[in-house]
Amino acid sequence: MGIRMWKIHLIRLFICALAILIGYIAFISILDYLSKDASAHTDAGFGPACGRATLDGNVDPEEWGGASTQTFPMDSPSGKEPFTATLYIMNSGNNLYMGITINDDEFTPVGTWLPQGDVFRIDFDNDHSGALFTIQDDVLDISAGLPQFQDGFIKGSPVPSSSGPDVEGGGTSDGFGVASRVGDLNHFELRHPLCSGDSLDFCLHPTDIVGFRLEYLDAEANGQFGSSQFFPGHYETSIADLVIGNCPLADWFVHLPFIQK
Ligand SMILES: [Ca+2]
Ligand SMILES: [Ca+2]
Ligand SMILES: [Ca+2]
Ligand SMILES: [Ca+2]
């Protein structure tokens, strides 16, 4: 075989290797895209629902009757027994309302590691990008101990998920929430403006879709940390969807005194 033929063979070999490499990269990219698509924005969707509730720490099924509702086991990555929670979501013309019940075995208002005891942290994916913990994303905390409601935001430092109250980041505290023990469940109720005007809050309009993830941090009766449990999952791409309803409902606010039950 002459030198010329060798050159042609080498060029063919190079082109084949290049084609295989490009194919492999494309295959891996498609797999990566599909895996992200499967985990982000799961089918844990909450449809548009209109309503408003009295925030007294009692998730009364009647007042939340119009809400989009799901009952589910929490994702407990530590291996502790998963709690079962029911989440109710609806909105008025001005506010998002969320109600949650969970079968924690006690309502703990003070903890060693959790100063406000049992707490739900709700992380929002403001722009529905499929990623949590973008700087300034909205974060709401509703806890057993005082102050029961905190309107926060992602600070991003020292770790991506670190958050702080809006008032410490130059924003305003917007919303309200109350938690209490009702029967053998912990109940949490809150509201937050759909569009407060604060840059540390989301701004949502009818038909908008926003992503969110719940995290429940359980304090035990002795104040020790119990477990951290999640919905729809514990990954940063585990995000449920919420569609904002077109609801011409005005709000009325009835703030009942907090009564520990
Ligand atoms: Ca209520
Ligand atoms: Ca705010
Ligand atoms: Ca906020
Ligand atoms: Ca507890």
Side-chain angles (χ1 to χ4, degrees):
M1 189 180 293
I3 292 175
R4 183 181 161 78
M5 286 304 290
W6 271 110
K7 276 184 180 172
I8 291 170
H9 275 301
L10 278 175
I11 289 168
R12 280 180 180 162
L13 203 62
F14 176 75
I15 290 170
C16 279
L18 196 63
I20 290 169
L21 184 66
I22 289 170
Y24 177 74
I25 290 170
F27 180 67
I28 294 297
S29 301
I30 289 167
L31 277 185
D32 186 50
Y33 172 80
L34 289 176
S35 68
K36 278 181 182 163
D37 193 49
S39 56
H41 299 277
T42 64
D43 57 2
F46 288 77
C50 295
R52 55 205 163 190
T54 302
L55 304 183
D56 55 1
N58 178 17
V59 181
D60 180 345
E62 203 164 299
E63 69 180 342
W64 291 88
S68 182
T69 306
Q70 290 186 34
T71 297
F72 43 79
M74 300 292 285
D75 175 16
S76 178
S78 70
K80 286 249 182 160
E81 180 78 15
F83 293 124
T84 297
T86 299
L87 172 61
Y88 303 78
I89 306 180
M90 56 193 181
N91 64 274
S92 66
N94 302 313
N95 283 278
L96 177 69
Y97 285 83
M98 300 179 82
I100 317 170
T101 66
I102 190 164
N103 65 339
D104 188 350
D105 55 0
E106 76 278 307
F107 184 79
T108 312
V110 180
T112 308
W113 188 74
L114 298 165
Q116 278 87 41
D118 297 322
V119 57
F120 265 110
R121 167 176 168 153
I122 308 166
D123 281 285
F124 289 92
D125 173 14
N126 287 19
D127 60 356
H128 199 241
S129 67
L132 294 175
F133 312 138
T134 303
I135 305 290
Q136 296 196 347
D137 264 358
D138 222 345
V139 181
L140 302 177
D141 286 342
I142 177 91
S143 57
L146 299 174
Q148 293 190 311
F149 175 80
Q150 178 180 285
D151 175 13
F153 71 107
I154 292 293
K155 293 196 297 188
S157 175
V159 291
S161 63
S162 64
S163 66
D166 287 359
V167 290
E168 288 180 10
T172 52
S173 181
D174 303 283
F176 183 73
V178 183
S180 72
R181 185 75 172 170
V182 181
D184 55 2
L185 300 175
N186 288 352
H187 283 211
F188 300 83
E189 294 183 306
L190 65 84
R191 71 158 190 269
H192 185 56
L194 292 173
C195 187
S196 66
D198 182 353
S199 64
L200 301 180
D201 296 338
F202 51 53
C203 183
L204 303 172
H205 303 94
T207 72
D208 279 353
I209 303 174
V210 66
F212 71 95
R213 188 186 73 170
L214 296 183
E215 180 179 6
Y216 187 65
L217 297 129
D218 175 33
E220 305 281 16
N222 61 6
Q224 294 300 304
F225 177 65
S227 64
S228 191
Q229 304 196 9
F230 301 83
F231 171 81
H234 66 280
Y235 297 106
E236 290 186 18
T237 52
S238 303
I239 304 171
D241 285 337
L242 159 63
V243 184
I244 301 302
N246 188 2
C247 308
L249 290 171
D251 295 86
W252 69 83
F253 299 141
V254 181
H255 294 172
L256 300 181
F258 173 67
I259 302 167
Q260 183 143 348
K261 300 176 183 174

